[in-house]
Amino acid sequence: MEQLNLSFPEQLFQEAWGELEEPALDGGWELFTECMGFTIYRLYDQQSGLYAYKVFGGFSDCSPQLCVDVYMDLEYRKQWDQYVKELYEKEYEKGKVIYWEVKYPFPLSNRDYVCVRECRDLDVAGQKVWVILAKSFAIPQCPEKPGIIRVGSYKQSVAIKSDGKNGSKVFMYYFDNPGGMIPSWLINWAAKSGVPSFLQDMQKACKKYPQ
C-alpha cells in the first residue's frame, strides 16, 4: 500500500504553469472541440482506450482568486455540481484525503473517488500563478462500497493566472477512467458534452459565489 504523501513533485507544478505560457501539444494531441472561449485537445491512451484532455482558455469576468476559491470549496461544489452525491475532506494521520461520489444515470452504477490534492500560489517572473494538482489515492481507511465502482485512475492539474484585465487565463489537464463495463466509445462520446458543460457550470458558480 502506497504511503500517504501529500506533496506532488515540484516538476508537476512547473509543467502545469508552463502550459499557460506555451501549450505542450506534441506527441499526438489532437483538437477535440472549442466552446465558450476554450479550446480542448485530447490524447488517446492505448492502455484504456480512453482520452486524456487538455483545456486552454479563460473566464473574462472571473478573477483568478475567485476561480481558485470556487474550485477548492467542496461545500459550495455540492450546490452547483448536479452530479455530486457525496463529497467531503477527511483528515488522517498523514494528511487529508477527499472522498467524492458521483451520480451516474440509471442503469449505470455510481462512481466514487478517493484522492489527494494540493493548491499552491507561485510567483512566476513577478506574476502570481495558482496551480492545483489532484490524483486518485488508495488508503485502507476508505474501502470500496458495495454497488459503487471505485475510480482508481484519475489525474487533474489546473493552472490559473490573471489575463491582464478582470479575468483569468486557465489551463486544465484531465484523465479519468471510470472503470466498470461502460464501453470506451460511450465514455469518449460523453466527454464531448461533459467537459464543456463542466466549464459552463464552473463559470456560473463563480458568478454566484457567496462572498
Side-chain angles (χ1 to χ4, degrees):
M1 180 64 68
E2 196 178 351
Q3 286 298 303
L4 185 56
N5 177 7
L6 280 182
S7 16
F8 290 78
E10 189 64 42
Q11 186 191 350
L12 292 180
F13 288 92
Q14 290 180 12
E15 284 171 6
W17 66 251
E19 298 262 10
L20 283 173
E21 305 305 320
E22 205 175 309
L25 296 168
D26 295 341
W29 288 93
E30 60 181 34
L31 180 63
F32 178 49
T33 187
E34 291 180 87
C35 71
M36 295 172 49
F38 282 87
T39 307
I40 303 169
Y41 294 85
R42 67 181 187 177
L43 178 69
Y44 186 68
D45 177 64
Q46 211 91 39
Q47 206 178 343
S48 62
L50 302 173
Y51 288 91
Y53 297 91
K54 282 186 178 181
V55 180
F56 300 92
F59 297 119
S60 59
D61 47 2
C62 306
S63 72
Q65 184 69 69
L66 175 60
C67 289
V68 172
D69 289 347
V70 168
Y71 189 87
M72 295 297 288
D73 190 332
L74 299 183
E75 281 305 308
Y76 184 49
R77 176 90 181 233
K78 294 176 196 175
Q79 294 174 40
W80 65 266
D81 186 341
Q82 58 179 325
Y83 298 106
V84 171
K85 174 83 190 285
E86 208 179 336
L87 179 60
Y88 58 84
E89 196 167 42
K90 203 163 180 179
E91 185 113 29
Y92 290 104
E93 208 179 303
K94 298 191 192 297
K96 290 176 181 170
V97 298
I98 292 167
Y99 176 81
W100 177 26
E101 184 186 339
V102 178
K103 297 176 198 164
Y104 267 58
F106 180 81
L108 302 173
S109 304
N110 284 0
R111 274 21 183 202
D112 70 359
Y113 298 75
V114 176
C115 48
V116 291
R117 73 173 177 181
E118 189 179 347
C119 175
R120 287 191 198 171
D121 55 82
L122 310 166
D123 184 310
V124 180
Q127 188 174 30
K128 198 166 181 179
V129 180
W130 286 261
V131 176
I132 303 158
L133 302 178
K135 64 177 178 180
S136 48
F137 210 93
I139 59 167
Q141 294 93 328
C142 282
E144 294 185 28
K145 298 179 180 179
I148 300 171
I149 293 174
R150 174 67 44 92
V151 175
S153 186
Y154 159 75
K155 269 194 293 195
Q156 188 165 27
S157 51
V158 178
I160 303 170
K161 70 172 188 175
S162 169
D163 64 359
K165 301 175 200 155
N166 302 318
S168 306
K169 193 175 175 185
V170 178
F171 159 74
M172 183 172 85
Y173 167 89
Y174 182 77
F175 178 79
D176 182 351
N177 183 351
M181 301 302 289
I182 313 175
S184 54
W185 66 264
L186 184 57
I187 299 167
N188 292 331
W189 173 81
K192 189 96 180 177
S193 59
V195 180
S197 89
F198 170 77
L199 294 168
Q200 211 163 11
D201 290 349
M202 174 90 184
Q203 187 171 31
K204 285 184 199 154
C206 285
K207 288 179 180 170
K208 292 180 184 167
Y209 192 53
Q211 295 307 315

